[in-house]
Amino acid sequence: MKKINLLLLAVLAIFASCSGDDTVARSTVTIDISGLERLENGAEYQAWISNGAEVISLGRFTDVNFPKSFEALTGDVEGATQFLLSVEPGNDSSTEISQSILLSGDFVGNAATVDVSQNFGSYTSASGQFVLQTPTDNVSTNENSGLYWYVPATGQPGLKLPTLPAGWKYEGWVTVPGASGDVDLSTGRFTNVNNADESDPFSLNINPAPDFPGEDFINENVLSAYGVNTLPNLVGKQVFITIQPIFDNTSSSSSISPFVLRPLVGTVTQEAGSSVTNTMQINTASFPVGRVTRD
């Protein structure tokens, strides 16, 4: 009986050892992405794989040097049908994926092409028109210091953009000279092109603004806090729309800096009072793309 028990224990030990090897077997997932920018305010990128029922973290990173390799359980890697890259708030202890999914793609064999299309859809029909004006004060000599995305002749919105998924908002920007170099000033965040955006810190609010996204850059006290010491003349300046993660660790409804997703860009060519609106161009060629492989 003693010999049988010893033999049984040996068999169980061998079985446990083999089972342990299976559970700790790991495989590699390598990602190679172009077009990303380093995040601010402690935010991080996080890589994930999914089998359709479960999303499994591969790890977080902040630098944008590629390729990068991550290890995960072989069963999880082999069973994955999709790769996802999210933007996560800094100092976040949650183990759940955020709503701000940036890139994704389905595995075909052992590789996946990843881009923004699964999450954001197509921008081939996007367009933008805007005019210069400063309606929120009673001064008529500073009209080149503000812009709004609408068409005054028709009263129609000047932006045509897809509806965003949860976790993201649009934001308008203009680049102006500052005391220490160019400064990106936000016109405010929005999700609906038919309504005003969420903030107007640079306006004076003596009079109402158009009910469309835009901003008067005429509040000298606020401008000086951004290193802009004179009212900016926006003629000739760069204007663009970004898609921003909504959590970007700022307490205000506008961001500190523009995110890498910039679907529309333009240059101000028409001064205030012109019957011709300024137009924007599609900029989706700048969106990040990548390839993910597993072995």
Side-chain angles (χ1 to χ4, degrees):
M1 178 66 70
K2 184 176 181 181
K3 288 183 179 180
I4 293 174
N5 288 338
L6 290 174
L7 179 61
L8 178 61
L9 289 173
V11 170
L12 290 174
I14 293 171
F15 179 78
S17 175
C18 292
S19 298
D21 288 343
D22 287 341
T23 58
V24 299
R26 303 181 75 81
S27 296
T28 301
V29 177
T30 300
I31 65 175
D32 193 1
I33 300 171
S34 62
L36 290 185
E37 294 179 354
R38 194 176 183 92
L39 299 171
E40 296 185 341
N41 307 316
E44 299 174 294
Y45 294 109
Q46 188 159 2
W48 308 79
I49 50 176
S50 173
N51 58 18
E54 183 182 14
V55 181
I56 300 153
S57 174
L58 297 176
R60 294 190 178 198
F61 60 93
T62 56
D63 69 274
V64 289
N65 300 313
F66 294 94
K68 296 182 183 298
S69 294
F70 302 89
E71 285 192 348
L73 296 178
T74 294
D76 291 337
V77 173
E78 291 179 346
T81 58
Q82 186 183 42
F83 173 88
L84 306 101
L85 184 72
S86 65
V87 182
E88 304 289 334
N91 302 315
D92 176 33
S93 60
S94 173
T95 59
E96 303 294 323
I97 187 170
S98 78
Q99 291 183 314
S100 300
I101 299 170
L102 175 59
L103 301 175
S104 61
D106 297 331
F107 280 103
V108 178
N110 289 323
T113 298
V114 296
D115 56 28
V116 305
S117 61
Q118 283 190 349
N119 201 42
F120 295 102
S122 172
Y123 279 80
T124 56
S125 298
S127 63
Q129 298 180 69
F130 62 92
V131 293
L132 298 190
Q133 57 181 220
T134 56
T136 66
D137 69 358
N138 290 322
V139 179
S140 60
T141 58
N142 60 11
E143 298 300 292
N144 283 343
S145 296
L147 66 88
Y148 289 85
W149 276 278
Y150 83 115
V151 183
T154 62
Q156 296 298 308
L159 289 169
K160 183 179 179 182
L161 292 165
T163 300
L164 287 173
W168 301 90
K169 289 186 179 182
Y170 290 114
E171 188 160 2
W173 301 84
V174 59
T175 305
V176 302
S180 301
D182 286 345
V183 179
D184 293 319
L185 297 179
S186 171
T187 66
R189 292 181 171 192
F190 60 94
T191 55
N192 188 344
V193 301
N194 290 285
N195 295 122
D197 50 50
E198 297 176 354
S199 61
D200 56 357
F202 301 99
S203 300
L204 290 184
N205 298 314
I206 296 172
N207 302 311
D211 197 21
F212 297 98
E215 184 78 357
D216 294 18
F217 293 100
I218 54 178
N219 188 324
E220 295 184 59
N221 291 331
V222 178
L223 286 168
S224 64
Y226 286 79
V228 180
N229 298 322
T230 59
L231 299 192
N233 182 346
L234 303 185
V235 176
K237 305 304 185 292
Q238 188 79 11
V239 176
F240 54 101
I241 301 292
T242 61
I243 305 170
Q244 300 280 146
I246 62 173
F247 59 77
D248 68 354
N249 293 358
T250 173
S251 59
S252 70
S253 56
S254 61
S255 306
I256 295 174
S257 61
F259 193 61
V260 66
L261 297 179
R262 305 180 185 186
L264 291 174
V265 299
T267 301
V268 181
T269 60
Q270 304 297 323
E271 296 198 32
S274 172
S275 60
V276 180
T277 57
N278 293 273
T279 59
M280 307 183 77
Q281 295 77 48
I282 296 174
N283 188 47
T284 53
S286 69
F287 283 5
V289 295
R291 180 175 173 83
V292 177
T293 56
R294 59 184 173 187
D295 55 42

